[in-house]
Amino acid sequence: MPKKILVATSGGDCPALNAVLRAFVKAATATPGWEVYGSLQSFNGLLDTPQRVIPLTRQTVSGIHVRGGTIIGTTKESGPFNWPVKRADGTVEYIDRSDDMVRLCRVGGFDAIVNIGGDGSQRMSLALFKKGLPVVGIPKTIDNDLCATDVTFGFQSAVDVATEAVDRLVSTAESHNRIQILELMGKHSGWITLHAAIAGGAEICLIPEIPYRIEKIKAWLDRRFEAGKRFAVVAVAEGAFPAGGAPSEEKKAHSNISEKMSGAAERFMAELKATGIEEGLRCTILGHVQRGGTPAAFDRVLGAQYGVKAFEMVAAGEFGRMVSWQDGQMTSVPLGEAVRALKTIDPNGELVRVARAVNVCFGD
Ligand code: F6P
């Protein structure tokens, strides 16, 4: 009897998910005795009636490494621990179907479960492992905020897109003598924003790790304008906030994993206006452009490494762990360690020091 692996992509999508899937399936199917199946829209495909679980073969994954998104779909709205059920009055109740999931995995004869996802999804991996499922996690997120791995795949692709946006805004800001404000993703971490600010040469960089003071930014801009440069690009992380304030975010009542950050750039623009800078302010919210499209070469390679390592872990029976990239080596960590904390930028660390050295203002 062949051994069966169930793979799912969970949470928000990100570039190179397909590269990971391809590498995983190729590694598994090159080894006699293994078959891979994909649950569509995360584990919803397994839980649905009728089930939506498809075989993943070498043919299915051929050539997909260059494509954005995920060929098996994903969701962050529902899952085994928050399954939506419509009540008679039309309202929706969320129930725990994790026991069902355990049963369905056993009925399906799955010997291993691989969950490719970010922090919320790896918390789900841990909870499923604790219920007895043989789970391996693969870290995914453009935010790069998982503490147990040096870098997540998808991050570099997002940074490349964000940097191009900064580059483009610099030239139009300079032509019109404007202040161009660019909001970038990252939830409660500023990795994408800080990298894009350094790479693209944004003058001001606002990240959640360094709360800003609007009066400092106004003074910094005044000095710049007096010196003859009458334009600036401000890279604002969606989770950035003023000192004494809080991130601009909307939490969904039914779920502990889904939340929406919105409004950081607009708030900053209003604060800037209140200091007397009335004209020449423009705001761009880059949004999901950072998540979609062709993955960077770096992420395709990293994704292939994650995929191959994940299969090696499955074959060796190393469950309850997440693949991790540390100090230039593929390794793994217990899922509990993987979700222990978010990885944020050290305000006194190397990257912030370098940014300050190239004149990036953090408004602190
Ligand atoms: O976690 C990845 C991410 O893109 C965040 O940077 C962002 O806050 C969030 O997902 C957006 O999620 P959604 O797809 O629900 O809008």
Side-chain angles (χ1 to χ4, degrees):
M1 282 277 279
K3 290 195 159 194
K4 294 168 72 176
I5 308 166
L6 184 70
V7 179
T9 48
S10 305
D13 70 346
C14 100
L17 276 170
N18 284 327
V20 176
L21 284 172
R22 173 176 172 267
F24 183 87
V25 170
K26 288 207 170 205
T29 54
T31 311
W34 289 95
E35 286 177 354
V36 187
Y37 295 81
S39 173
L40 303 188
Q41 255 71 47
S42 183
F43 294 112
N44 292 7
L46 178 79
L47 291 162
D48 274 344
T49 313
Q51 276 188 347
R52 295 178 300 131
V53 173
I54 59 166
L56 292 177
T57 64
R58 295 176 86 77
Q59 286 72 32
T60 326
V61 299
S62 176
I64 65 169
H65 56 296
V66 301
R67 286 168 52 187
T70 157
I71 63 160
I72 52 174
T74 187
T75 180
K76 58 195 292 188
E77 310 305 338
S78 57
F81 294 95
N82 58 331
W83 187 263
V85 179
K86 221 173 182 176
R87 292 202 199 101
D89 64 0
T91 57
V92 176
E93 182 191 2
Y94 285 83
I95 61 165
D96 182 348
R97 286 195 60 200
S98 54
D99 287 337
D100 250 3
M101 168 146 175
V102 173
R103 183 181 58 78
L104 290 167
C105 283
R106 295 203 172 122
V107 170
F110 293 111
D111 300 281
I113 313 294
V114 174
N115 191 17
I116 312 174
D119 59 324
S121 308
Q122 297 313 336
R123 273 195 286 275
M124 171 164 77
S125 301
L126 177 62
L128 291 171
F129 176 67
K130 285 186 174 164
K131 281 184 161 278
L133 287 180
V135 185
V136 166
I138 305 182
K140 163 249 64 164
T141 169
I142 61 166
D143 302 339
N144 197 33
D145 60 356
L146 282 170
C147 70
T149 190
D150 288 353
V151 62
T152 52
F153 69 86
F155 170 62
Q156 189 59 55
S157 306
V159 167
D160 288 352
V161 172
T163 301
E164 187 185 342
V166 173
D167 292 348
R168 288 175 184 272
L169 289 175
V170 167
S171 66
T172 180
E174 186 166 16
S175 305
H176 285 270
N177 282 335
R178 282 179 172 156
I179 298 176
Q180 291 281 357
I181 302 163
L182 173 66
E183 183 176 301
L184 297 168
M185 282 185 164
K187 281 199 297 209
H188 297 289
S189 71
W191 293 106
I192 297 173
T193 304
L194 180 53
H195 278 249
I198 295 173
E203 281 71 29
I204 299 172
C205 174
L206 306 181
I207 55 175
E209 293 87 345
I210 306 179
Y212 61 88
R213 294 187 179 278
I214 197 69
E215 66 280 6
K216 299 259 182 191
I217 294 170
K218 170 71 164 68
W220 192 93
L221 284 169
D222 285 347
R223 286 196 298 277
R224 178 173 167 85
F225 290 177
E226 275 157 27
K229 289 210 170 182
R230 303 206 54 83
F231 71 95
V233 170
V234 187
V236 184
E238 61 182 2
F241 57 94
S248 237
E249 64 184 321
E250 293 165 26
K251 287 206 171 170
K252 288 193 180 168
H254 69 262
S255 166
N256 59 352
I257 56 169
S258 186
E259 64 182 4
K260 188 171 180 313
M261 319 284 301
S262 82
E266 292 285 351
R267 170 169 65 184
F268 173 71
M269 187 156 87
E271 289 166 346
L272 212 49
K273 276 191 182 156
T275 68
I277 302 179
E278 292 282 333
E279 284 170 19
L281 293 177
R282 293 290 187 275
C283 189
T284 304
I285 297 165
L286 201 55
H288 295 80
V289 170
Q290 294 157 95
R291 285 230 309 252
T294 311
F298 178 88
D299 283 332
R300 297 182 204 181
V301 176
L302 185 65
Q305 289 174 281
Y306 275 130
V308 170
K309 175 69 180 176
F311 174 67
E312 287 167 1
M313 288 166 63
V314 166
E318 292 172 17
F319 298 117
R321 302 183 71 82
M322 184 188 81
V323 194
S324 157
W325 178 250
Q326 284 173 31
D327 301 325
Q329 298 284 329
M330 267 301 153
T331 177
S332 71
V333 292
L335 283 166
E337 174 60 20
V339 298
R340 185 182 44 81
L342 282 188
K343 182 176 70 184
T344 53
I345 295 168
D346 176 359
N348 301 309
E350 162 77 8
L351 212 52
V352 171
R353 199 174 57 75
V354 166
R356 291 192 199 277
V358 295
N359 278 342
V360 173
C361 165
F362 287 92
D364 57 339

